């Protein structure tokens, strides 16, 4: 086995491509939709370099597991723990107690080299999940994968190097294919495991290992076609991944072959530094960025996540400013922490204790303290935001699904229409049947509004909704997203079988999203005709305006800092969903007994929309009203806004 030795400047250039792509993607996914594949390039490089080091040391009879692990500690741990501790310090200043406690737990798992396992198990990716772009340690998942690889691979490789060359390469190749195939399958079953865990990423590291161990042809006998063509193919594959893949792509799996094979071909092509196509990767600027790439990667995500957590909208100006901050921090960390640590030659035990054990223990101690106090800091350290004010704001912005009088299902329950707590309004006269509020979560957040109207009119209304499930009947057609699909079908069938026992039907949904599904418009019109035919009055509830800049935690964070202008940020951009409103109005005009109810006049007086009413937020997230906000809007509607 021949392992290519010596410094490879184009690999630092390739690192620069990888880290720049990741940074662009994290600044704004629209700028480079597949920029996240830069991480896969890093994994191929790691597999190549680590395997080359081990193989060459074994060939020379100098390999030592102890020295290998100490070298990894010197290379990784000091900068890793510096960023972790600095991020924890910033989180203590900026974060709300529940978020700080969660961040502390993530830091503890990171200190134990298993952050990827933490995010697989505990990252909230459900329907109402908070934005993952505010998880300050999320980027460490890839380092967790690498650290686990560094722990296991040397032991495996020592055994494998005893095999004949052909058998060894065949075994590694089969392992790589198995890993990519496993990732492709698991991505459809457990996408979180597929994304974060070593077994589904091992093939990417394995490609680099395979390249490091493969016999190398004599570069002196090769013509330009032997390295220029692979280089061009590698560049094409990498940039194809950048622009053909995005956050909706199945990943990892076979799609990951685009960046991984691309990186492999580039490393292969420039093995003898003759490739003109790859000359830019050997330029001073590319090499300099590549040398800083580890520190840039470590710092970039906490800076962006904390900026977003603090309410900063990242446009062009903010992106340039934050990038400058990241580069300053990365450069300082490289010269003050990363570079000096690599040159440490203390006794092995001292290296392990000072560079790894002590900082890891400090992170674990801080995490334990934050967990014990549920994220609340001691008064001596400034405490957290006023508990009373915080609770009031949390109550103001709490989502409808947290309230027991909201019959919003995420799993089917055949008794949902019998729950006594989900009836609002007056007791009724015993003659008129109760009304029904039906739809998805965008119907559920109308509870306070429709409940207030029902009470003012002496009527009763029951609410029943199912997450992502539109109010539509359609035999043989499935609606609902992901895990909600089967329950949605059963829920729609239940409502269809019981609809006759209700009077007025209030139908609410995220119309603008459902209208993107083929056949939905026709199915809903057919449902509407059937309801009218049964003698129902139908009220179509328009979508509330959406506020992409609204963050319910902004006001609570601002209780301490008073630095954020939450309202201005929230009101900077509004989506009125005028197309779906026009569609609903057309449906109502064509059918007797059908009307449209739009609360935009309450939220958009004089045409200026706001997620605030009387200075207080009435939204839970960017598209949903809070429960308290719904009741407050309902009071305003009853007082002066008439339902036609």
């Amino acid at each position: 086995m021949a392992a290519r030795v010596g410094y490879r400047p184009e690999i630092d250039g390739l690192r620069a491509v990888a880290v720049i792509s990741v940074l662009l993607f994290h600044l704004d996914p629209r700028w480079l939709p597949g920029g996240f594949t830069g991480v896969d390039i890093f994994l191929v490089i790691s597999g190549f370099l680590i395997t080359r080091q081990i193989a060459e040391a074994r060939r020379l009879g100098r390999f030592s597991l102890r020295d290998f692990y100490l070298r990894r500690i010197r290379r990784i741990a000091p900068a890793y723990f510096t960023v972790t501790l600095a991020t924890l310090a910033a989180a203590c200043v900026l974060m709300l107690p529940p978020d700080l406690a969660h961040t502390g737990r993530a830091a503890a798992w990171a200190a134990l080299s298993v952050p990827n396992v933490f995010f697989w198990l505990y990252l909230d990716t459900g329907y109402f999940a908070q934005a993952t772009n505010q998880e300050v340690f999320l980027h460490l998942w890839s380092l967790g994968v690498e650290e686990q690889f560094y722990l296991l691979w040397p032991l495996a490789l020592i055994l494998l190097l005893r095999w004949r060359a052909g058998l060894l390469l065949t075994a590694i190749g089969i392992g790589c294919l198995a890993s990519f195939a496993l990732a492709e399958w698991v991505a459809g079953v457990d996408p979180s495991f597929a994304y974060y865990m070593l077994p589904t990423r091992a093939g990417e590291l394995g490609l680099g290992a395979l390249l490091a161990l493969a016999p190398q042809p004599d570069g002196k006998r090769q013509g330009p076609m032997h390295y220029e063509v692979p280089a061009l193919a590698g560049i094409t594959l990498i940039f194809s991944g950048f622009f053909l893949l995005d956050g909706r792509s199945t990943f990892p799996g076979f799609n990951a072959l685009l960046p991984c094979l691309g990186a492999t071909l580039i490393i292969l092509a420039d093995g003898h530094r003759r490739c003109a196509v790859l000359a830019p990767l050997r330029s001073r600027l590319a090499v300099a960025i590549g040398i800083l790439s580890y520190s840039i990667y470590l710092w970039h995500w906490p800076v962006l996540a904390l900026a977003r957590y603090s309410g900063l909208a990242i446009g062009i100006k903010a992106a340039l400013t934050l990038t400058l901050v990241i580069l300053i921090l990365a450069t300082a960390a490289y010269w003050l922490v990363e570079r000096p640590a690599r040159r440490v030659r203390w006794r092995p035990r001292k290296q392990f204790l000072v560079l790894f054990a002590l900082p890891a223990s400090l992170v674990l101690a801080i995490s334990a303290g934050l967990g014990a106090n549920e994220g609340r800091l001691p008064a001596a350290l400034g405490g957290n935001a006023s508990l009373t004010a915080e609770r009031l704001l949390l109550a103001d912005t709490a989502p409808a699904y947290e309230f027991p009088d909201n019959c919003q299902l995420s799993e089917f329950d055949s008794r949902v229409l019998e729950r006594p707590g989900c009836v609002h309004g007056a007791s009724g006269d015993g003659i008129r049947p109760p009304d029904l509020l039906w739809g998805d979560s965008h119907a559920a957040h109308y509870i306070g509004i429709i409940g207030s109207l029902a009470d003012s009119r002496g009527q009763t209304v029951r609410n029943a909704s199912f997450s992502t499930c539109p109010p539509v009947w359609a035999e043989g057609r499935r609606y609902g997203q992901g895990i909600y699909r089967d329950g949605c079908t059963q829920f729609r069938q239940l409502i269809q079988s019981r609809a006759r026992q209700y009077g007025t039907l209030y139908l609410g949904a995220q119309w603008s999203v459902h209208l993107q599904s083929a056949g939905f418009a026709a199915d809903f019109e057919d449902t509407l005709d059937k309801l009218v035919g049964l003698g129902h009055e139908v009220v179509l509830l328009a979508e509330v305006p959406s506020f992409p800049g609204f963050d319910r935690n902004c006001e609570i964070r601002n209780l301490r800092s008073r630095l954020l202008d939450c309202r201005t940020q929230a009101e900077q951009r509004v989506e009125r969903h005028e197309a779906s409103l026009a569609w609903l109005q057309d449906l109502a005009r064509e059918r007797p007994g059908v009307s449209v109810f739009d609360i935009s006049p309450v939220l958009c007086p004089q045409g200026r929309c706001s997620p605030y009413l009387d200075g207080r937020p009435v939204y839970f997230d960017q598209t949903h009203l809070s429960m308290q906000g719904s009741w407050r809007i309902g009071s305003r509607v009853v007082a002066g806004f008439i339902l036609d």
Side-chain angles (χ1 to χ4, degrees):
M1 291 296 154
R4 282 176 284 188
V5 295
Y7 175 62
R8 300 279 302 275
E10 83 285 353
I11 291 180
D12 272 330
L14 191 56
R15 283 190 175 117
V17 172
V19 80
I20 290 171
S21 69
V22 170
L23 178 59
L24 287 173
F25 177 78
H26 287 157
L27 284 167
D28 191 330
R30 294 173 296 182
W31 295 352
L32 199 64
F36 60 90
T37 60
V39 172
D40 306 271
I41 297 172
F42 278 127
L43 294 180
V44 172
I45 293 172
S46 293
F48 172 76
L49 293 177
I50 293 302
T51 304
R52 185 182 69 164
Q53 290 171 11
I54 296 172
E56 179 64 10
R58 287 282 293 177
R59 185 180 69 82
L60 298 174
R62 299 175 182 172
F63 181 73
S64 161
L65 277 175
R66 185 195 68 179
D67 290 344
F68 172 81
Y69 290 132
L70 286 176
R71 183 172 180 172
R72 290 296 88 205
I73 287 174
R74 292 195 300 270
R75 175 71 175 90
I76 295 172
Y80 185 90
F81 286 114
T82 298
V83 173
T84 301
L85 290 167
T87 302
L88 279 174
C92 288
V93 175
L94 297 171
M95 284 191 169
L96 305 177
D99 299 329
L100 184 55
H102 171 82
T103 296
R105 288 192 293 273
W109 288 64
L112 298 173
S113 299
V114 285
N116 55 325
V117 180
F118 175 83
F119 291 117
W120 167 49
L121 294 174
Y122 299 113
L123 184 64
D124 182 10
T125 56
Y127 183 57
F128 288 103
Q130 293 295 308
T132 57
N133 64 9
Q134 297 176 16
E135 285 275 359
V136 293
F137 293 122
L138 184 60
H139 67 312
L140 297 184
W141 74 266
S142 64
L143 294 173
V145 168
E146 290 196 38
E147 289 161 10
Q148 292 148 31
F149 171 75
Y150 299 151
L151 181 65
L152 300 174
W153 182 236
L155 301 172
L157 187 57
I158 289 171
L159 298 175
L160 291 172
L161 285 173
R162 299 176 182 177
W163 296 7
R164 289 185 294 106
L167 183 59
L168 169 60
L169 295 176
T170 300
I172 295 176
I174 292 173
C176 290
L177 286 174
S179 176
F180 280 103
L182 176 66
E184 183 75 17
W185 176 69
V186 175
V189 179
D190 187 348
S192 186
F193 182 95
Y195 199 87
Y196 294 117
M197 300 300 285
L198 177 61
T200 49
R201 295 287 187 167
E204 304 177 22
L205 293 150
L207 279 178
L210 197 63
L211 179 61
L213 295 172
Q216 306 303 317
D218 186 354
K220 295 180 181 179
R221 298 181 181 180
Q222 289 182 315
M225 290 295 291
H226 287 88
Y227 41 84
E228 301 291 358
V229 171
L232 282 171
I235 292 171
T236 301
L237 287 171
I238 285 176
F239 278 85
S240 295
F242 288 163
F243 292 101
L244 296 179
L245 300 176
D246 58 29
R248 297 168 295 180
S249 303
T250 300
F251 203 89
F254 296 131
N255 279 330
L257 288 171
L258 289 174
C260 293
L261 287 178
T264 302
L265 288 171
I266 286 174
I267 297 172
L268 175 66
D270 214 30
H272 300 280
R273 305 176 197 174
R274 299 167 59 189
C275 184
V277 171
L278 299 180
L281 294 184
R282 298 189 295 270
S283 67
R284 289 186 177 182
L285 178 60
V287 170
I289 295 173
I291 290 172
L292 290 176
S293 62
Y294 178 54
S295 285
I296 292 173
Y297 184 81
L298 282 176
W299 281 106
H300 89 282
W301 184 255
V303 169
L304 297 181
L306 288 170
R308 290 188 171 104
Y309 188 91
S310 300
L312 179 66
I314 301 181
I316 297 295
K317 291 183 179 179
L320 292 173
T321 301
L322 291 172
T323 299
L324 179 61
V325 170
I326 292 164
L327 290 175
I328 291 172
L329 290 171
T331 303
Y334 175 77
W335 287 103
L336 299 178
V337 179
E338 189 179 341
R339 184 179 172 89
R342 292 190 199 182
R343 299 181 175 182
V344 162
R345 292 299 179 266
W346 302 326
R347 293 179 180 178
R349 181 178 297 179
K350 183 178 180 180
Q351 289 186 47
F352 176 76
L353 288 174
V354 174
L355 300 181
F356 180 78
L358 289 178
S361 298
L362 179 58
V363 171
L364 291 172
I366 294 171
S367 174
L370 293 174
N373 293 303
E374 298 181 344
R376 296 199 171 277
L377 300 178
L381 296 178
N384 292 100
S386 164
L387 183 58
T388 301
E390 179 184 314
R391 285 175 175 169
L392 288 173
L393 279 168
L394 286 172
D396 254 5
T397 58
Y401 67 81
E402 289 186 357
F403 289 77
D405 57 344
N406 171 18
C407 281
Q408 179 184 340
L409 303 179
S410 57
E411 295 181 358
F412 179 66
D413 180 357
S414 61
R415 299 167 296 176
V416 64
L417 297 177
E418 278 78 49
R419 293 184 187 176
C422 295
V423 177
H424 295 89
S427 58
D429 55 15
I431 300 174
R432 175 185 168 88
D435 300 330
L436 178 67
L437 172 60
W438 165 36
D440 59 17
S441 61
H442 289 256
H445 72 180
Y446 262 95
I447 286 174
I449 300 168
I450 303 304
S452 297
L453 284 167
D455 187 59
S456 70
R457 297 173 173 180
Q459 299 166 357
T460 60
V461 60
R462 171 177 289 279
N463 71 83
S465 57
F466 200 102
S467 296
T468 79
C469 188
V472 61
W473 299 336
E475 294 296 334
R477 179 113 50 191
R478 302 183 74 194
Y479 287 102
Q481 298 175 9
I483 61 174
Y484 306 107
R485 185 165 295 173
D486 290 339
C488 175
T489 299
Q490 295 173 285
F491 178 72
R492 291 187 295 116
Q493 291 171 347
L494 175 67
I495 298 296
Q496 185 172 6
S497 67
R498 303 279 291 277
R500 291 179 182 273
Q501 70 188 53
Y502 297 101
T504 299
L505 298 180
Y506 296 90
L507 309 186
Q510 194 173 17
W511 307 112
S512 58
V513 171
H514 295 304
L515 282 168
Q516 297 174 24
S517 300
F520 171 76
D523 286 343
F524 184 75
E525 291 182 32
D526 182 61
T527 301
L528 201 55
D529 289 334
K530 290 177 180 177
L531 292 174
V532 172
L534 291 173
H536 291 288
E537 289 186 14
V538 180
V539 179
L540 305 177
L541 303 175
E543 282 183 78
V544 300
S546 297
F547 297 91
F550 176 77
D551 180 357
R552 81 185 189 115
N553 289 322
C554 183
E555 294 284 359
I556 304 171
R557 298 167 190 155
N558 208 26
L559 288 172
R560 294 187 68 196
S561 65
R562 300 294 178 186
L563 297 175
L564 307 175
D565 187 355
C566 305
R567 182 163 182 166
T568 299
Q569 175 184 304
E571 293 174 350
Q572 279 180 345
R573 183 179 162 201
V574 59
E575 297 174 5
R576 295 286 297 269
H577 307 296
E578 294 175 351
S580 66
L581 176 61
W583 175 69
L584 293 176
Q585 290 170 336
D586 288 341
L587 295 179
R589 274 192 295 267
E590 297 167 359
R591 292 165 178 82
V594 178
S595 60
V596 176
F597 181 34
D598 179 18
I599 65 165
S600 293
V602 178
L603 296 172
C604 306
Q606 288 81 49
R608 181 178 177 82
C609 299
S610 174
Y612 292 77
L613 189 63
D614 299 327
R616 293 165 56 191
V618 290
Y619 273 63
F620 157 61
D621 62 13
Q622 297 171 355
T623 62
H624 292 88
L625 299 173
S626 66
M627 181 64 97
Q628 295 295 339
S630 182
W631 284 102
R632 288 172 51 215
I633 293 170
S635 298
R636 180 67 58 87
V637 168
V638 169
F641 185 66
I642 306 301
L643 176 63
D644 294 332

